[in-house]
């Protein structure tokens, strides 16, 4: 899998020609039509090319991936991003349609851009019914700017880096996993001032070593952090079944460094019930708050199997 795009133009072109101009054959999100403030998209639902599609459609990783590809592809289509630029997510909010928790992934969507830099996405199933709403905020940067801004943080935490072999990860079945997906969190470390778990993401936790998560390899990305929260929720709430996510929000304030342990403070019910529960996860590294993630979780009593991701 590769995240590479070719800048397109907002001009009258056939869908096939516009898709080719955007390099759609190598992109999960493909452009059907583009206007100045609205882009119509279709999604490549081949699980052989996009392993995250093996996860349930409501999983936060799936929502983040749909939002990522939709945002970048739509930005190229209407000229908001130039060649050589990249984007970083600072906030996301989403709401899944509970009636759509049937395993079906969205096959199309719309992207709208607002003057306050908030991107609004709607995802639709094959029958045309909406599956989710997303709102994202981010910023665009050049690679050189990014590397310069990251240098000081990397140097400050260099001494705290450890190898995965030195970290005691929780058992995969305790954090809601099956298959070969790795645990990112450790055992709970106390309940004062609240439940906390340690976590670690290493440079080896990207695709293809990790079946679902890819990225630049420079920092712990949004998908990793969302997965850490889902694992921490399973560890703390001990559900008799798998947790489903009805929606949530995330604020990404600082980059989380790879190979450096971080803490997740979990504010959630002791156990998950049938009703939707609000859970909040505060991610801290080196005594700084890096991200705050809130998830609306409910137990799926129709299944007693763990999540595959």
């Amino acid at each position: 899998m590769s995240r590479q795009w070719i800048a397109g133009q907002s001009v009258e072109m056939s869908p096939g020609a516009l898709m080719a101009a955007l390099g759609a054959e190598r992109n999960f999100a493909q452009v059907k039509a583009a206007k100045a403030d609205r882009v119509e998209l279709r999604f490549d639902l081949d699980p052989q090319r996009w392993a995250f599609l093996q996860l349930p459609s409501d999983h936060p990783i799936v929502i983040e991936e749909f939002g990522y590809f939709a945002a970048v592809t739509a930005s190229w289509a209407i000229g908001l991003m130039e060649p050589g630029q990249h984007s970083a997510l600072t906030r996301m909010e989403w709401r899944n349609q509970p009636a759509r928790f049937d395993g079906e992934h969205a096959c199309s969507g719309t992207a709208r851009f607002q003057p306050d830099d908030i991107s609004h996405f709607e995802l639709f199933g094959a029958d045309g019914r909406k599956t989710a709403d997303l709102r994202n905020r981010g910023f665009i940067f050049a690679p050189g700017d990014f590397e310069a801004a990251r240098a000081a943080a990397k140097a400050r935490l260099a001494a705290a880096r450890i190898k995965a072999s030195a970290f005691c990860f929780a058992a995969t079945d305790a954090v809601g996993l099956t298959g070969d997906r790795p645990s990112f969190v450790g055992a709970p470390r106390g309940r004062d001032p609240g439940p906390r778990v340690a976590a670690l993401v290493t440079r080896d936790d990207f695709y293809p070593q990790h079946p679902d998560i890819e990225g630049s390899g420079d920092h712990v990305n949004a998908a990793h952090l969302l997965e850490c929260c889902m694992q921490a929720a399973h560890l703390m709430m001990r559900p008799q079944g798998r947790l489903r996510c009805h929606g949530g929000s995330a604020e990404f304030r600082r980059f989380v460094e790879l190979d450096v342990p971080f803490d997740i403070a979990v504010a959630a019910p002791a156990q998950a019930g049938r009703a939707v529960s609000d859970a909040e996860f505060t991610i801290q590294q080196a005594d700084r708050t890096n991200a705050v993630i809130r998830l609306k979780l409910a137990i799926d009593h129709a299944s007693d199997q763990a999540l595959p991701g």
Side-chain angles (χ1 to χ4, degrees):
M1 295 191 290
S2 176
R3 288 180 172 175
Q4 297 181 12
W5 296 269
I6 302 172
Q9 299 179 6
S10 181
V11 297
E12 292 297 326
M13 302 174 68
S14 69
L18 184 55
M19 286 166 54
L22 293 172
E25 71 279 0
R26 303 186 67 186
N27 197 349
F28 176 69
Q30 305 172 358
V31 175
K32 295 194 296 183
K35 297 182 180 179
D37 60 351
R38 182 184 178 94
V39 180
E40 302 289 340
L41 301 163
R42 66 167 59 91
F43 300 107
D44 175 11
L45 299 184
D46 185 346
Q48 298 300 316
R49 288 195 291 268
W50 311 103
F52 63 84
L53 293 174
Q54 299 176 46
L55 298 172
S57 59
D58 58 289
H59 196 289
I61 286 181
V62 174
I63 297 297
E64 190 274 336
E65 292 283 3
F66 271 84
Y68 173 85
F69 281 106
V72 175
T73 301
S75 295
W76 279 122
I78 61 175
L80 292 180
M81 290 180 65
E82 298 177 358
Q85 291 182 323
H86 301 278
S87 65
L89 182 66
T90 58
R91 181 174 178 84
M92 62 181 292
E93 300 177 39
W94 73 99
R95 180 170 58 90
N96 296 328
Q97 300 294 325
R100 308 297 296 181
F101 287 174
D102 55 5
E104 175 189 344
H105 288 286
C107 63
S108 65
T110 62
R112 299 199 306 271
F113 298 91
Q114 301 171 330
D116 56 4
D117 297 327
I118 295 177
S119 305
H120 182 203
F121 309 101
E122 294 177 297
L123 305 180
F124 302 94
D127 59 4
R129 291 192 298 160
K130 186 186 297 185
T131 63
D133 287 282
L134 300 82
R135 292 182 182 272
N136 289 354
R137 183 192 291 272
F139 63 91
I140 296 172
F141 60 89
D145 298 334
F146 178 73
E147 292 162 5
R150 303 285 295 111
K154 289 183 177 181
R156 183 171 61 85
L157 292 177
R161 292 178 183 147
I162 67 171
K163 295 182 178 180
S165 59
F167 188 88
C168 183
F169 292 98
T172 55
D173 59 350
V175 295
L177 298 175
T178 61
D180 59 354
R181 291 168 174 84
S183 170
F184 291 145
V185 302
R189 298 198 303 179
R191 298 181 178 273
D192 185 18
R196 303 178 71 87
V197 296
L200 177 69
V201 177
T202 73
R203 296 182 186 278
D204 292 331
D205 292 320
F206 291 87
Y207 182 87
Q209 290 91 337
H210 193 285
D212 308 315
I213 301 176
E214 60 175 294
S216 66
D218 178 86
H219 61 282
V220 180
N221 63 21
H224 284 120
L225 296 178
L226 292 166
E227 173 65 8
C228 285
C229 292
M230 288 295 290
Q231 292 186 17
H234 280 88
L235 188 66
M236 290 296 190
M237 298 168 73
R238 301 181 298 279
Q240 297 301 308
R242 66 185 183 187
L243 291 173
R244 309 302 300 258
C245 185
H246 285 235
S249 66
E251 302 170 34
F252 302 104
R253 302 177 183 178
R254 294 182 173 86
F255 288 101
V256 179
E257 297 299 329
L258 292 165
D259 302 311
V260 177
F262 54 94
D263 285 340
I264 306 175
V266 184
Q271 290 186 328
R274 289 183 179 274
V276 175
S277 300
D278 291 320
E280 181 173 288
F281 308 84
T282 302
I283 295 170
Q284 297 178 315
Q285 191 174 62
D287 298 323
R288 294 186 176 185
T289 297
N290 300 70
V292 178
I293 296 174
R294 301 173 182 88
L295 301 177
K296 292 184 177 297
L297 301 170
I299 189 74
D300 179 6
H301 290 276
S303 171
D304 60 359
Q305 296 181 357
L307 280 169

